[in-house]
Amino acid sequence: MKYRSSSGSMRMVQKAASSYDAGYTTIPGPLYIVNDQVRQGLIQELSMTEAFENAAQMDMLLSGLGTIESINAIPAWRSAKEAIFPGVDLDQVAGMVFGRPYDINGNFLIDQSNDKTFSLPLEQILQVPRHFAVVQRRSKASAALGALRGAFLPT
């Protein structure tokens, strides 16, 4: 089974940043880490410090909109969906933004106290003044609608 790597999204971030003569930061790690001790340990690693400090000061966030199909496209994530999204009714997922699932009404479905995303906390991400998302397919219409209803993106 083939799936797209994140290297394409990295090139997109680099190109967008250079177009606006802006800096960018990516967090060099997996999107999901199920083991809480490993996730907290990696956040505290010196090699991650700069990325998380820069991310905490960002004024714009570029994200893709995903679907549960994007999770299913990666074998390791597909087999670990219940561990990655504990307590989430996966049938209710309209889309994924910032690595977190939400429903068609724009409500995040993940319990923030049990979030397995290797990222800034969701509350901190939502404080970023400008959010932009890339939607590449018509099949992501429900994901886009839920994101707009949740005000994750400018209208």
Side-chain angles (χ1 to χ4, degrees):
M1 175 179 274
K2 292 184 178 182
Y3 60 92
R4 289 189 289 170
S5 73
S6 63
S7 61
S9 61
M10 176 61 82
R11 286 191 304 275
M12 180 179 66
V13 169
Q14 291 169 335
K15 186 173 182 177
S18 66
S19 295
Y20 294 98
D21 195 29
Y24 68 93
T25 297
T26 58
I27 297 172
L31 181 57
Y32 302 109
I33 301 176
V34 174
N35 185 305
D36 296 334
Q37 289 178 313
V38 170
R39 189 176 51 263
Q40 289 307 313
L42 279 176
I43 288 171
Q44 296 172 11
E45 280 296 320
L46 294 177
S47 61
M48 301 289 180
T49 302
E50 182 179 4
F52 277 99
E53 286 175 356
N54 288 338
Q57 298 177 36
M58 68 183 146
D59 61 358
M60 182 176 80
L61 179 68
L62 175 63
S63 177
L65 285 186
T67 61
I68 205 68
E69 287 77 24
S70 52
I71 297 298
N72 288 333
I74 299 175
W77 290 358
R78 180 180 59 241
S79 65
K81 283 186 293 196
E82 285 75 25
I84 294 170
F85 307 118
V88 173
D89 179 355
L90 298 174
D91 292 331
Q92 296 299 311
V93 177
M96 309 277 298
V97 69
F98 320 128
R100 281 94 172 178
Y102 57 90
D103 66 18
I104 193 70
N105 295 309
N107 301 304
F108 281 106
L109 299 172
I110 195 81
D111 174 5
Q112 294 308 304
S113 67
N114 206 8
D115 189 354
K116 304 302 181 185
T117 312
F118 185 59
S119 167
L120 293 174
L122 184 57
E123 313 80 55
Q124 194 171 355
I125 289 172
L126 294 175
Q127 295 300 313
V128 175
R130 295 176 296 228
H131 299 158
F132 298 92
V134 176
V135 181
Q136 297 180 351
R137 291 184 186 87
R138 191 178 303 170
S139 62
K140 295 190 178 184
S142 293
L145 180 58
L148 290 169
R149 287 178 174 166
F152 309 144
L153 309 168
T155 56

